[in-house]
Amino acid sequence: MSTNLIELQKDSELRSVLEETNEICVLYFWAEWAAQCSQVGEVIQDLASKYAKTKFFKIEAENFEHISEGYDIMAVPTVIITQKEKVIGRVDGVNIAKLVHEVGTTCAEANGVSAQPAASATQAEFEQDLNTRLKGLIERAPVMVFIKGTAAQPRCGFSKKIIGMLNEHSIKYGYFDILTDEEVRQGLKEYSDWPTYPQLYINGELAGGLDIVKEMIESGELMEMIPKDSIAA
């Protein structure tokens, strides 16, 4: 890890830099449980190596609630670019092209490098095709459900109901919280031509939303479609 990439341990570490210097800093808010942070984390490491005179702070959002609230962090990953305590750049979700451009534009001069053009090869190197990413998420588990919130704490009534149905029938499933990634939230609607959430996928294919799943359970069709390995003994 680059020496200028600092995993925050105490609030005071960040506060001293922001209050006592005029340096531009990059704040990367993440969570260990959020799979979508892994790609952004790799990009942050590469950017920290390139812009070695800029401090990059890796901040676990839930462990530093006061800092997260101060920067209005609603989901992870989120990257804030700040000077003193003024926000001069922000990237919400997994938007690699924007992240590379924002960091390059704000940090280039201080690091003695040319500003990164918007359509550069570096951005193309980092940018991931959204459909490929969505396919990977859908196929992460034989049974995948895309919901608002987590399986333990759904954040809407429809998500709570579908999780309850799956649990009631002892179905093992993976889930993705669409509130943590706006790109996935909007992109999946077009990818599957299904405009609402929750969405249930079985073996990589869309089964449907709440009403469809309810009907499939009542008819017995759902349990016939669920792989045997995905039903708890």
Side-chain angles (χ1 to χ4, degrees), residues 136-153:
L137 288 172
I138 289 168
E139 296 177 350
R140 183 185 290 175
V143 180
M144 273 293 294
V145 62
F146 290 78
I147 58 174
K148 295 180 180 179
T150 67
Q153 292 184 313

Side-chain angles (χ1 to χ4, degrees), residues 18-224:
L18 296 181
E19 291 179 355
E20 297 172 12
T21 74
N22 198 40
E23 296 178 22
I24 293 174
C25 296
V26 179
L27 316 181
Y28 164 46
F29 291 87
W30 72 293
E32 187 173 2
W33 51 263
Q36 63 272 18
C37 289
S38 60
Q39 186 190 8
V40 174
E42 291 175 3
V43 175
I44 287 291
Q45 289 186 39
D46 289 339
L47 291 172
S49 296
K50 180 173 183 178
Y51 301 105
K53 295 181 180 179
T54 298
K55 287 186 172 66
F56 288 71
F57 286 90
K58 186 178 179 182
I59 304 170
E60 195 159 3
E62 293 174 346
N63 291 348
F64 294 93
E65 292 184 2
H66 179 69
I67 297 175
S68 297
E69 290 173 3
Y71 287 102
D72 195 26
I73 304 301
M74 303 301 294
V76 291
T78 295
V79 176
I80 300 292
I81 305 171
T82 182
Q83 189 171 28
K84 287 289 189 180
E85 294 187 343
K86 180 182 178 182
V87 174
I88 58 176
R90 182 184 183 110
V91 182
D92 293 288
V94 183
N95 190 334
I96 303 304
K98 184 178 180 183
L99 174 58
V100 173
H101 178 62
E102 289 283 338
V103 173
T105 300
T106 54
C107 300
E109 184 177 352
N111 285 269
V113 299
S114 300
Q116 192 69 50
S120 68
T122 304
Q123 284 177 271
E125 180 183 340
F126 286 129
E127 191 169 16
Q128 183 181 29
D129 178 72
L130 178 59
N131 286 346
T132 301
R133 182 164 177 252
L134 293 173
K135 185 175 186 294
L137 288 172
I138 289 168
E139 296 177 350
R140 183 185 290 175
V143 180
M144 273 293 294
V145 62
F146 290 78
I147 58 174
K148 295 180 180 179
T150 67
Q153 292 184 313
R155 292 179 61 181
C156 83
F158 298 126
S159 295
K160 185 176 182 179
K161 286 180 181 178
I162 201 167
I163 290 297
M165 291 175 184
L166 297 174
N167 290 340
E168 183 180 348
H169 289 80
S170 301
I171 297 171
K172 295 187 287 186
Y173 57 88
Y175 75 88
F176 185 89
D177 179 4
I178 59 165
L179 298 179
T180 65
D181 195 318
E182 188 65 18
E183 189 175 51
V184 170
R185 182 179 184 176
Q186 299 302 328
L188 192 59
K189 294 178 183 180
E190 295 184 13
Y191 181 89
S192 296
D193 196 23
W194 195 270
T196 59
Y197 291 99
Q199 294 183 16
L200 181 70
Y201 293 79
I202 301 172
N203 289 329
E205 298 293 332
L206 176 67
L210 178 63
D211 291 339
I212 299 295
V213 171
K214 185 177 180 181
E215 291 175 5
M216 292 173 70
I217 287 176
E218 291 173 352
S219 69
E221 182 183 358
L222 184 72
M223 296 308 292
E224 292 177 2

